Amino acid sequence: MYTVLIEHTVMLPLLNPASGTPLYLQLIEYVKHAIETGVIRAGEQLPSVRQLAEDLLINPNTVVRAYRELEHEGIIELKHGSGAFIRESIVPRERLMKKANGVVKSALDSLESFNLSEDEIRRLLENELAVRRTGKKRRKHYA
Amino acid sequence: MRDSTEAATEGVVAITNLSRRFGAKAALNEVSLDVPRGGVFGLVGENGAGKTTLIKHILGFFRAESGTVRVFGSDPVSKPVEVLGRIGYLSEQPDLPDWMRVHEFLRYTQAFYPTWDAHYAEQLREQFGLDPSARVRVLSKGQRAKLGLLAAQAHRPDLLLLDEPSSGLDPVVRRDILEAVIRTVSDEGRTVFFSSHLLDEIERVSDRVAMLHQGRLVLCGSLDQIKARHRRITIRFETQLSAPPRVPGALAVTGTGREWTVFCDSTRVQLPDLGARIVNEDGASLNEIFVATVTGRS
């Protein structure tokens, strides 16, 4: 699994220290993406903090932070003494994401005939998300 | 004279109001910094900013003209053996005895360090591809750097002190150096002090960063906090401007016409009502922060 993880870096941009995004956040996104695309599977072990830091040439603290946050989000489990493992419950998430993608596709197919611009579709989506988030009704005026 | 309990709680390196002149020039001007145990401390600055002078004080090569320098709680000038035995030092183009063979140099170096790990040294020698019977004088620049790195690491020093080690070296050797930094700090309680003008390397591995400019410390803090504070904000005006807009407290303002980029330390500036729209806001790289901080002050 581990060699696949490193080979996978050719498909994703390498961690970029100069970016405005902190390295530990980039690492979290990288792990999530690897899970979503099936590169790492449920129950599999992630590299040790030391190993990953040495291979990616980043400070071990960065890896620790990323692993802690991933554990907090319920994506990995830190087993004391043995290492970091992807949670078993993560597999349904990968399938869930695939299903959700299908829903988005059919929604966009349905909207074809409405002839909306991309920005208009995006605004509709954000509006609905905001309604759910704030619990308030927000109506945008469409000229 | 500090006692052992005080030494245990203070950082690995504690520098207070250090100043030094070379003739009329102030090479260091009231510099104070603390290197906590167990992290990577990055020191950046342009050539001539005072980085090497500072490091020579840490090694005890210079006695403090004014201010104090403590390493592991002791004065490196008055306790050289105690202090240097716990430091692994590598500089740009290390000064190695040309006439010695690699294995002789390693035997010679080993004699100075009670904690030398011969097995680890052999592992590194093999990894670096250094022929034990080769004379130092025939080694390439990169091989010399690797030999210096080996000698600095093999005794597993409490403080790995690197002064611009990567200058002019190929990416493979630079990788070996970064790996040495990470291996050191992965071990409990060991510390790295790493000076470089290659900001991408500093940015990868540092916990704390200090910036020297013309002998003064212009920035010092955790890398995460420094990066979080500095923002690059792009603003767009309705009309073209012939001169940069005045933004009080901004580190730098660049651009042309209608679109301008304001570089600021967000703790010090509120974007006033300029009559412009904010079109983008981003974090900044250490390189941008460095340039803006330094040019803003000169």
Side-chain angles (χ1 to χ4, degrees):
Chain A
M1 182 286 292
Y2 183 59
T3 45
V4 179
L5 184 65
I6 293 300
E7 279 160 30
H8 190 62
T9 56
V10 303
M11 290 158 62
L12 281 182
L14 293 167
L15 295 182
N16 180 11
S19 137
T21 311
L23 280 176
Y24 84 96
L25 282 179
Q26 292 182 44
L27 185 53
I28 288 170
E29 280 314 304
Y30 175 79
V31 172
K32 285 183 181 174
H33 191 269
I35 293 170
E36 276 161 25
T37 52
V39 171
I40 323 176
R41 298 179 196 285
E44 282 189 350
Q45 185 173 14
L46 284 172
S48 70
V49 168
R50 192 187 182 117
Q51 189 64 57
L52 197 56
E54 271 182 43
D55 285 325
L56 295 178
L57 292 182
I58 55 177
N59 193 303
N61 280 339
T62 306
V63 182
V64 168
R65 248 178 121 176
Y67 278 13
R68 282 218 188 107
E69 182 59 35
L70 285 165
E71 185 188 40
H72 184 71
E73 291 186 34
I75 295 174
I76 69 173
E77 202 182 334
L78 297 174
K79 288 185 187 166
H80 192 68
S82 24
F85 294 81
I86 309 295
R87 282 192 174 271
E88 292 292 347
S89 57
I90 219 62
V91 171
R93 187 152 194 87
E94 188 196 322
R95 287 205 209 107
L96 192 77
M97 286 299 285
K98 283 207 173 106
K99 264 182 125 180
N101 199 48
V103 172
V104 168
K105 270 191 84 188
S106 17
L108 288 174
D109 286 339
S110 304
L111 283 174
E112 275 291 297
S113 57
F114 286 67
N115 276 316
L116 301 177
S117 73
E118 263 190 34
D119 278 343
E120 284 172 325
I121 296 175
R122 215 172 276 130
R123 276 200 291 271
L124 283 171
L125 186 62
E126 280 168 10
N127 203 38
E128 272 309 309
L129 287 170
V131 164
R132 280 160 170 71
R133 195 187 318 134
T134 63
K136 285 183 269 186
K137 285 274 178 186
R138 283 172 63 191
R139 295 227 164 268
K140 278 214 161 148
H141 178 69
Y142 294 102
Chain B
M1 193 67 194
R2 289 171 192 248
D3 63 27
S4 56
T5 46
E6 201 174 350
T9 53
E10 72 184 15
V12 167
V13 177
I15 294 173
T16 314
N17 293 330
L18 182 63
S19 295
R20 183 174 194 93
R21 307 191 76 84
F22 290 119
K25 184 185 169 194
L28 292 174
N29 198 336
E30 298 285 313
V31 175
S32 296
L33 60 84
D34 276 286
V35 179
R37 213 163 89 110
V40 179
F41 192 101
L43 180 66
V44 304
E46 72 271 30
N47 294 328
K51 303 193 296 296
T52 297
T53 307
L54 186 74
I55 286 173
K56 285 186 173 165
H57 280 89
I58 296 173
L59 291 164
F61 294 169
F62 285 148
R63 182 192 304 274
E65 277 174 359
S66 72
T68 59
V69 177
R70 293 290 177 265
V71 182
F72 307 119
S74 304
D75 175 7
V77 175
S78 52
K79 296 202 167 174
V81 174
E82 191 184 288
V83 169
L84 291 181
R86 296 168 67 183
I87 295 180
Y89 170 58
L90 179 64
S91 64
E92 194 177 355
Q93 299 184 62
D95 194 15
L96 306 169
D98 273 346
W99 57 273
M100 280 193 190
R101 296 183 190 273
V102 168
H103 73 92
E104 288 167 345
F105 172 68
L106 292 178
R107 278 244 315 271
Y108 163 77
T109 308
Q110 177 175 11
F112 293 96
Y113 299 102
T115 55
W116 185 275
D117 181 343
H119 181 71
Y120 184 41
E122 178 53 27
Q123 238 184 331
L124 288 172
R125 189 205 57 73
E126 221 181 287
Q127 184 195 326
F128 292 162
L130 295 168
D131 175 5
S133 62
R135 290 200 190 271
V136 170
R137 93 168 122 260
V138 304
L139 297 180
S140 70
K141 189 172 170 183
Q143 286 171 321
R144 291 172 76 98
K146 285 188 201 178
L147 184 56
L149 187 62
L150 200 179
Q153 278 191 91
H155 62 286
R156 300 194 195 278
D158 291 324
L159 175 63
L160 186 64
L161 185 56
L162 306 172
D163 186 3
E164 302 258 15
S166 311
S167 293
L169 296 177
D170 67 64
V172 177
V173 186
R174 285 173 55 182
R175 200 210 145 84
D176 290 328
I177 291 171
L178 280 181
E179 220 174 71
V181 169
I182 290 156
R183 281 208 199 123
T184 301
V185 80
S186 292
D187 285 339
E188 196 71 50
R190 294 173 65 201
T191 310
V192 178
F193 188 96
F194 180 22
S195 103
S196 179
H197 64 274
L198 298 174
L199 294 173
D200 58 320
E201 294 187 347
I202 295 280
E203 212 159 6
R204 281 195 102 88
V205 300
S206 300
D207 293 295
R208 294 185 69 80
V209 171
M211 266 186 209
L212 271 183
H213 177 60
Q214 294 174 351
R216 297 200 108 101
L217 208 64
V218 296
L219 213 57
C220 186
S222 104
L223 178 60
D224 285 340
Q225 279 171 22
I226 288 173
K227 290 190 75 170
R229 292 205 315 254
H230 288 82
R231 309 298 293 170
R232 194 194 326 117
I233 303 169
T234 308
I235 55 178
R236 192 177 293 158
F237 291 86
E238 288 301 307
T239 53
Q240 308 245 5
L241 297 180
S242 50
R246 285 211 68 237
V247 183
L251 288 170
V253 181
T254 55
T256 179
R258 287 168 53 206
E259 206 161 281
W260 296 84
T261 302
V262 178
F263 205 92
C264 53
D265 177 345
S266 61
T267 56
R268 291 189 307 150
V269 70
Q270 299 288 335
L271 264 192
D273 185 17
L274 296 165
R277 223 168 15 112
I278 294 177
V279 292
N280 194 38
E281 186 179 332
D282 233 331
S285 71
L286 197 60
N287 197 45
E288 291 169 307
I289 295 169
F290 177 64
V291 171
T293 305
V294 158
T295 56
R297 281 167 188 265
S298 47

